[in-house]
């Protein structure tokens, strides 16, 4: 019921950070945290939102007549995600480098299985930041947790925050 921070192997020097966002709650918490506590040195930050694909749904021929609905939903999800990451990137970009810290931020929206995409993208970064929504153990068991999968499989340090 309270915020928790989990850090896996904090590196000595952080130059590139991947921030994975799932929604507006994640975005608000990330903005609050990184604006209140900027890194000491300039950081290049990628704000990432992953739109899940439903390939099994699209491959089922009995559902083919719903294909246009799926395409519209997918495009709406990508558009919403792009707005989300652009807004966060714009706000975080305002942190001044002259104060010793700061962020060079860009937003990115990708498609696929969220944990797999985050893990793949993490290889290019020094630190991964993901939110966790604190599902109870039964829900986590039933649905899995993107955060848990990333935490256990990413080769770089992962910072997880319950929102």
């Amino acid at each position: 019921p309270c915020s928790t921070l989990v850090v896996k192997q904090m590196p000595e020097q952080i130059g590139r950070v991947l921030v994975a966002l799932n929604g507006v709650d994640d975005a608000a918490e990330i903005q609050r945290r990184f604006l209140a506590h900027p890194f000491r040195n300039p950081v290049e930050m990628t704000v990432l939102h992953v739109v899940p694909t439903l390939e099994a749904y699209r491959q089922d021929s009995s559902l083919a007549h719903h294909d246009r609905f799926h395409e519209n939903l997918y495009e709406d999800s990508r558009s919403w995600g792009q707005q989300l990451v652009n807004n966060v990137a714009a706000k975080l970009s305002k942190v001044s480098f002259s104060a010793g810290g700061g962020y060079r931020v860009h937003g990115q929206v990708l498609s696929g299985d969220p944990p797999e995409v985050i893990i793949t993208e993490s290889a290019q970064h020094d630190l991964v930041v993901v939110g966790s929504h604190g599902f109870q153990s039964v829900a986590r068991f039933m649905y899995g947790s993107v955060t848990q999968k990333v935490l256990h499989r990413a080769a770089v340090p992962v910072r997880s925050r319950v929102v």
Side-chain angles (χ1 to χ4, degrees):
C2 64
S3 293
T4 305
L5 176 65
V6 178
V7 180
K8 173 184 170 184
Q9 304 168 344
M10 191 62 122
E12 290 181 29
Q13 182 72 348
I14 299 173
R16 295 182 49 124
V17 177
L18 176 65
V19 178
L21 300 178
N22 184 37
V24 293
D25 292 338
D26 288 349
E29 180 62 24
I30 291 298
Q31 286 171 169
R32 186 185 68 71
R33 172 66 57 186
F34 284 134
L35 291 174
H37 306 285
F39 288 93
R40 289 187 182 102
N41 298 314
V43 171
E44 186 177 329
M45 189 177 292
T46 301
V47 180
L48 173 68
H49 176 72
V50 181
V51 178
T53 55
L54 302 174
E55 290 304 319
Y57 171 85
R58 298 192 79 194
Q59 292 171 1
D60 185 338
S61 61
S62 67
L63 299 174
H65 62 284
H66 295 291
D67 207 35
R68 186 68 194 138
F69 171 78
H70 176 263
E71 288 174 14
N72 288 339
L73 181 63
Y74 175 78
E75 289 304 319
D76 288 349
S77 296
R78 282 191 64 86
S79 175
W80 179 88
Q82 194 65 58
Q83 285 182 320
L84 178 71
V85 298
N86 288 347
N87 288 340
V88 172
K91 289 179 182 167
L92 292 178
S93 292
K94 293 179 182 178
V95 174
S96 172
F97 279 92
S98 63
Y103 309 115
R104 288 190 184 94
V105 189
H106 72 277
Q108 184 176 16
V109 176
L110 297 174
S111 300
D113 180 44
E116 293 301 323
V117 172
I118 295 167
I119 291 164
T120 299
E121 291 298 309
S122 74
Q124 303 168 27
H125 296 83
D126 303 314
L127 176 68
V128 178
V129 178
V130 292
S132 176
H133 296 279
F135 288 131
Q136 299 300 321
S137 58
V138 173
R140 191 175 332 142
F141 175 76
M142 294 294 290
Y143 304 116
S145 166
V146 171
T147 303
Q148 288 295 323
K149 290 174 186 174
V150 172
L151 187 61
H152 291 288
R153 294 184 45 216
V156 300
V158 177
R159 179 178 176 175
S160 170
R161 181 152 184 84
V162 176
V163 291

